[in-house]
Amino acid sequence: MSRTAKGVAVLASTTLALALAACGGDSQGEEERPAADPAAMKAELTWWDTSDPKNEGPVFQELIARFNETYPNIKINYQSVPFGEAQNKFKTAAQAKTGAPDILRAEVAWVPEFASLGYLYALDGSELLADEADFLATPLASNKYDGKTYGVPQVTDTLSLMYNKELLAEAGVAAAPTTWAELKTVAQAVTQKTGAEGLYVNPAGYFLLPFMYGEGGDLVDVEAKKITVGSDRNVAGLKIAKDLIDSGAAVKPSANDSYGTMMTLFKEQQVAMIINGPWEVNNVTQAPSFGGVENLGIAPVPGGSARAGGPVGGHNYTIWSGMPQEKVDAAVAFVAFMSSTESQAFLSEKLGLLPTRKSAYDLDAVRNNPIVTAYQPAVEAAVGRPWIPEAGQFFEPLDQMATEVLIQNRDPKAALDAVAKRYQAEVVTSFGL
């Protein structure tokens, strides 16, 4: 699987240089060439964008148009690929060595997995990482595998408590709840005094992590090579989430398209509070019936007995190691532009997405953005996930568990024990229980 892309041109507008090496390969020397004229560069690249095609996709396409103002002869074949399908779709294409995109917007947990399989270029030594210190440490860490770096951080995020300010005020609530117990009380007050529902809990594994983290739980202990998803701490966290529904503080989740139902109810002011991330800010604030950005409250997820924190999330730009050698210069130019300080500030201004570059936070478009400011405490409290190749496989069993517990009323302990057994049999087979 080893490939080496030698002699990546120094690009005049982005000051990029040096070689890229695929997983398992070592650079075989560096060959600098004169700065290339951006207008003279010709290539056709395919980019799989896994963002929301209606909410975020058009803004990423605006960035592509800006890129083509400088690089008019680099054609970007923009393809919106559903997030839930992209991970396996990319692996299938990369393994077959055909049909994979040149550039992939990869969820943070996917990068170590794809790198371990040899499907990504290592970027060490490339000028894509010449200003590595400008990237926030946690988003950058998700791109590391076996001592090398296989991606460039695009956006960082975490889950937060998103709430309708008007509904909370109507219920007599002056501030966002900071504990799950307070959340339950506030949700019940909203239902009693406003006619709206208080809360919607999405029955998906990722959205249950704040409940497990809140009791001090986690999925695995990487250092001890132990599966901890079935711990008593996680059981306690799940019971809190289940109690919110059983008590009526939260709506009974829908068995079909629960996420879509949650967003519709929130945008239509039929539910006062949800747990979600910055990728939905634009969707919510642009909804005709919501009341604009002024009506959107954002706070860190409430805490349990141990702590408060959502999972670290986000996405990275990665380059397929099976790309034809002659396209590498163009791919590097595209990733450099899309991950630049200015591009990240543009995404922040348009969508409320959180930059991964420190320098972006010095720009007015970011520094004065109320959404970014609101999310910073949530990001600071976020809990790091294990950056191991298997981490991207954790969530299918968790999603099944969430449905069983929150919709089908299965016992939390039994459901988590089943997840632990699947992890050992199918995911982290070298870990103990």
Side-chain angles (χ1 to χ4, degrees):
M1 295 181 183
S2 174
R3 286 199 63 199
T4 300
K6 295 189 292 183
V8 176
V10 179
L11 305 177
S13 65
T14 51
T15 324
L16 301 177
L18 301 181
L20 309 176
C23 178
D26 296 319
S27 124
Q28 302 174 0
E30 299 165 3
E31 177 187 340
E32 292 192 9
R33 291 179 284 174
D37 176 8
M41 295 181 66
K42 295 183 179 181
E44 186 169 337
L45 302 172
T46 297
W47 178 37
W48 281 7
D49 178 19
T50 58
S51 71
D52 184 299
K54 293 182 180 180
N55 177 35
E56 298 174 294
V59 179
F60 286 112
Q61 292 180 69
E62 283 188 57
L63 272 182
I64 292 173
R66 291 189 175 199
F67 170 77
N68 282 139
E69 292 174 3
T70 302
Y71 295 91
N73 295 309
I74 298 178
K75 181 180 179 181
I76 306 298
N77 293 323
Y78 175 88
Q79 296 182 12
S80 177
V81 178
F83 175 79
E85 301 174 8
Q87 183 180 11
N88 289 331
K89 188 174 181 178
F90 178 80
K91 285 195 293 185
T92 299
Q95 183 179 23
K97 300 182 180 180
T98 181
D102 303 302
I103 314 295
L104 171 70
R105 177 184 182 265
E107 204 271 344
V108 287
W110 301 351
V111 177
E113 178 188 13
F114 294 162
S116 73
L117 295 170
Y119 297 159
L120 303 178
Y121 272 118
L123 306 179
D124 304 273
S126 166
E127 285 297 324
L128 280 174
L129 296 176
D131 55 353
E132 182 173 339
D134 189 39
F135 288 108
L136 299 173
T138 299
L140 185 64
S142 68
N143 292 284
K144 305 284 187 179
Y145 173 72
D146 199 23
K148 294 182 180 179
T149 307
Y150 290 89
V152 176
Q154 181 202 46
V155 296
T156 189
D157 61 53
T158 191
L159 293 173
S160 67
L161 179 67
M162 301 174 73
Y163 60 95
N164 185 309
K165 292 180 180 179
E166 292 178 0
L167 287 175
L168 262 63
E170 187 178 341
V173 178
T178 59
T179 68
W180 298 121
E182 290 178 4
L183 179 70
K184 181 178 179 179
T185 300
V186 169
Q188 291 172 332
V190 168
T191 301
Q192 293 168 2
K193 297 180 180 180
T194 73
E197 299 288 352
L199 175 69
Y200 195 110
V201 177
N202 186 38
Y206 191 77
F207 290 79
L208 290 184
L209 288 179
F211 294 95
M212 293 188 273
Y213 291 160
E215 300 308 304
D218 210 332
L219 305 181
V220 296
D221 182 334
V222 174
E223 186 174 345
K225 301 195 75 173
K226 184 177 180 180
I227 297 167
T228 60
V229 70
S231 70
D232 291 342
R233 293 176 177 181
N234 286 339
V235 172
L238 276 192
K239 286 182 176 179
I240 292 172
K242 191 173 186 303
D243 175 67
L244 288 170
I245 295 169
D246 292 345
S247 68
V251 181
K252 180 74 173 180
S254 170
N256 298 312
D257 190 20
S258 183
Y259 183 92
T261 300
M262 173 180 71
M263 294 312 303
T264 296
L265 293 176
F266 188 64
K267 289 187 294 182
E268 293 179 354
Q269 302 202 63
Q270 297 182 54
V271 166
M273 296 179 288
I274 61 173
I275 297 168
N276 217 328
W279 55 87
E280 286 289 1
V281 166
N282 189 58
N283 186 22
V284 171
T285 57
Q286 296 300 314
S289 59
F290 184 76
V293 67
E294 297 81 7
N295 192 35
L296 177 62
I298 296 168
V301 291
S305 64
R307 60 183 172 182
V312 170
H315 292 82
N316 303 317
Y317 293 109
T318 59
I319 300 177
W320 178 39
S321 60
M323 170 195 296
Q325 189 79 20
E326 61 270 17
K327 295 166 68 171
V328 170
D329 287 5
V332 170
F334 180 66
V335 171
F337 176 87
M338 296 295 283
S339 62
S340 68
T341 298
E342 293 74 16
S343 292
Q344 291 197 11
F346 177 77
L347 293 176
S348 180
E349 181 179 16
K350 291 284 188 175
L351 297 172
L353 299 182
L354 310 182
T356 61
R357 285 187 176 274
K358 299 172 187 176
S359 55
Y361 289 88
D362 293 329
L363 301 181
D364 288 343
V366 178
R367 184 173 58 241
N368 298 330
N369 188 316
I371 301 301
V372 173
T373 301
Y375 262 103
Q376 281 183 307
V379 170
E380 290 169 1
V383 179
R385 292 154 62 189
W387 306 127
I388 57 177
E390 299 87 353
Q393 304 301 317
F394 286 153
F395 289 99
E396 193 277 326
L398 278 183
D399 288 343
Q400 181 178 333
M401 176 276 299
T403 297
E404 292 172 348
V405 172
L406 299 187
I407 296 178
Q408 299 170 359
N409 292 315
R410 186 179 184 186
D411 176 69
K413 175 62 175 172
L416 285 172
D417 283 345
V419 173
K421 290 177 181 177
R422 282 193 64 184
Y423 278 6
Q424 189 175 51
E426 303 172 13
V427 184
V428 280
T429 56
S430 63
F431 281 32
L433 291 173

